Amino acid sequence: MKISVLGIGGTICMLKDSSGGVNPKLDAKMLVESIGLSEDIKIEAKTILSLPSPSLNYDNLLEVLKTAKEEIKNGSTGVVVTQGTDTLEESAFLLSLFWDEAAPLVITGAMKNPSEIGADGASNLYQAILVASNTNSLNRGVLCVFNHTIYQPRFIHKSNSFSLETFVSINGGNIGYIYEKDVIYISPIYKNKIYKTPNSLNKNVAIIPTCLDGDSMFLNNLSGFDGLVIDGFGAGHVSFIAARKLKELNLKIPCIITTRTGSGMSAYKTYAYEGSEMDMQKNGFIMGSFFDSLKARLFLTMLLSNGFSNNEIKKEFENYYKYF
Ligand code: ASP
């Protein structure tokens, strides 16, 4: 059995240097060596990138996807990607839209760098390798492994800036655990809807927050964007002023309204006041369903890059979280 470990950066590979702080230093081979794997698994370790995850971009992730697929073609039965946790929920979700292999693609990282007491990187990497090499992981698409837990990209969220227990599943459960070196799935296989991988994800989608008395944000120039995500109040609402302003703009680009609450679904047919979901839908705005604003932005970018029309985009948003 051969597992590929692809390093792309993050705290898991960072060490203190003369700057006084930590920076990416360890390559993928060093990370693998640090866990002293005793299992009968051949590891192919490659460093693709060495970046803090806020500086990852779409091209980087398309490169990760391409390399991971090559590794499978070259005989690996699973792939592990090590990256920073700050954008892990976004890269995992984006990769999950394109990963069409039966073999698992497992993403992990660390909250504490290797020189800190209680560093979690080696343990997370070890667990990710166990998951990637387990036959029960087949046909489960992209998985995230952290702190003994297996997450689905569509639900994963980083919820704390320092805690080792930072990752949580929102609107859905964790799908498995790694205890006593065993990989234990507690849910059936969920089908992932797979989309064509575009040559580039060069669409510009903005996220606009909503906040009390924050209407001035909607007065900014919204030209130059291919799509918008408005992180709406409550079940996906905007203020009277924002609603008027947005309607006046007569936008031709798709505009998705999500909920800023952190969990739950946007409404479709409950509220009718100005700025509510019923009012905004009548004016061509698309409700975000179970997507948070970060995942909505990625999803919209992918749909636009694949040439989906506004009507098709509406349907994809409505149905994505109902696809099993
Ligand atoms: N800032 C780091 C990064 O996202 C944190 C981490 O690796 O978890 O790369």
Side-chain angles (χ1 to χ4, degrees), residues 9-12 14 51-54 83-87 110-111 158:
T11 298
I12 191 166
M14 294 191 191
L51 290 172
S53 73
Q83 76 147 86
T85 53
D86 292 350
T87 60
M111 289 302 287
K158 184 175 181 180

Side-chain angles (χ1 to χ4, degrees), residues 22-43:
V22 296
N23 272 300
K25 294 276 170 212
L26 300 172
D27 64 25
K29 280 201 179 84
M30 291 163 163
L31 288 183
V32 172
E33 273 161 25
S34 73
I35 62 177
L37 198 68
S38 59
E39 279 76 3
D40 192 16
I41 304 171
K42 184 175 179 311
I43 302 286

Side-chain angles (χ1 to χ4, degrees), residues 172-202:
N174 305 330
I175 59 166
Y177 298 94
I178 307 102
Y179 292 131
E180 300 179 312
K181 301 188 179 182
D182 286 335
V183 175
I184 305 151
Y185 281 100
I186 56 161
S187 84
I189 292 176
Y190 288 95
K191 266 198 277 167
N192 284 306
K193 185 157 184 190
I194 306 299
Y195 295 84
K196 185 175 147 268
T197 308
N199 290 335
S200 72
L201 289 155
N202 59 356

